[in-house]
DNA sequence: GATCGAGAGTTCAACTAGTGAACTTAGCTG
DNA sequence: CAGCTAAGTTCACTAGTTGAACTCTCGATC
């Protein structure tokens, strides 16, 4: 699409959007968290076009989100395993999940998919807090620092 | 692009990806959190093509993320204000910000943009926890329920 | 030995969203 | 009247997306 790139903007949101800011990448990563590792399993479980999947996986391997791990020699076969960087992305998916469940739940959705703790069986409700204080983050008190005046790529 | 739609998939991640799963929408919303309200201010502060901005704002108004509020009568002028639904999206942006700062920080980035609490002046470090227990969410213990076997649109 | 199927892609044409620049509309200002 | 501002719209061009078909390499089967 000749899309604008954000990967060197000095803002984590912009750089994250550059990498996962398309419709399929978050879902590919979601599948990875639920145990999908192989090309065909990604393709058939999501219905993503194979060419699109190839492009996504290549970029994610290049960025160190997935590691390409051989599991068969002849013919050579590879699995896509989440790296620590990839596993850390769970927080973003959880935030997306929570917002989607809270605010985009269609009225006629009969069976919402829920997150559970597999040991306790309890529902998991992801929430973003400040790591140091443990308190919710209030939009009104939030500021950017340093702000660079007139700079457009913030 | 004739893109696949996820807006009725029974998963919050998929529905969220359908709405904000493009490169510009997260940045438009980021600007809104930092006080931008008017068309030209979005356009010039981000460098987003005006046609793309129109499409994004229209969709976000339609979905109830922004409210179109008049601020002048002749000629009619409108501002885009975040609704409660839009404000709740801050959690997703914070998770993206945190991941981008932790894992996508280019080595040669001289001035990373930081989040601060404007009252205390302290750095804010967003972290996703389980709302009920207050504890971090462990990927290994996370499960989907109910899982619908063989269903591709989860 | 030929055929079949699995797995992991590649190739291709058609479609359509993203992009940048120019244009439009309406009122306001000097 | 000329110039300016704000909020879009229009248009040609470009490039990512899609679905279907094809490729390639094996191992297993008839």
């Amino acid at each position: 699409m000749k899309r604008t790139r954000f990967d060197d903007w000095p803002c984590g949101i912009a750089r994250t959007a550059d990498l996962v800011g398309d419709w399929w990448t978050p879902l590919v990563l979601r599948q990875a968290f639920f145990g999908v590792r192989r090309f065909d399993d990604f393709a058939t479980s999501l219905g993503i076009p194979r060419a699109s999947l190839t492009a996504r996986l290549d970029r994610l391997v290049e960025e160190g989100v997935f590691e390409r791990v051989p599991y068969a020699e002849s013919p050579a076969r590879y699995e896509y395993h989440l790296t620590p960087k990839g596993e850390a992305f769970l927080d973003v998916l959880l935030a997306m999940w929570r917002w989607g469940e809270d605010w985009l739940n269609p009225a006629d959705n009969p069976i919402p998919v829920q997150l559970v703790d597999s040991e306790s069986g309890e529902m998991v409700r992801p929430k973003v807090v400040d790591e140091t204080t443990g308190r919710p983050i209030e939009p009104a008190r939030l500021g950017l620092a340093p702000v660079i005046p007139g700079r457009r790529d913030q």
Side-chain angles (χ1 to χ4, degrees), chain A:
Chain A
M1 248 163 292
K2 201 179 75 166
R3 53 172 274 242
T4 308
R5 302 310 299 259
F6 313 130
D7 50 355
D8 58 351
W9 286 24
C11 169
I13 296 170
R15 294 194 302 277
T16 301
D18 187 83
L19 180 55
V20 304
D22 68 285
W23 300 281
W24 285 117
T25 299
L27 293 172
V28 169
L29 288 166
R30 183 197 67 175
Q31 293 305 86
F33 276 105
F34 290 119
V36 175
R37 292 195 154 98
R38 300 186 180 177
F39 189 92
D40 262 34
D41 293 336
F42 283 111
T44 56
S45 65
L46 286 173
I48 179 176
R50 307 173 78 76
S52 302
L53 180 59
T54 300
R56 295 303 181 290
L57 290 174
D58 286 354
R59 172 99 198 269
L60 291 168
V61 167
E62 195 181 306
E63 298 276 356
V65 173
F66 278 128
E67 190 187 4
R68 205 153 167 268
V69 179
Y71 73 91
E73 289 214 337
S74 68
R77 293 274 182 270
Y78 299 90
E79 287 182 330
Y80 296 88
H81 292 202
L82 288 168
T83 63
K85 180 175 179 175
E87 288 191 0
F89 191 76
L90 180 62
D91 277 6
V92 179
L93 288 183
L94 291 173
M96 290 176 69
W97 180 88
R98 176 68 189 266
W99 190 76
E101 292 296 320
D102 284 353
W103 298 97
L104 298 175
N105 228 337
D108 58 349
N109 183 1
I111 312 174
V113 174
Q114 295 293 337
L115 294 175
V116 295
D117 184 305
S118 56
E119 288 181 33
S120 69
E122 295 287 309
M123 293 282 199
V124 174
R125 296 196 70 69
K127 175 73 189 164
V128 176
V129 298
D130 182 353
E131 191 168 29
T132 51
T133 66
R135 288 199 306 256
I137 298 169
E138 297 168 42
R141 293 179 54 162
L142 205 55
L144 265 184
V147 178
I148 306 156
R151 184 149 173 189
R152 56 151 50 179
D153 57 347
Q154 292 176 11

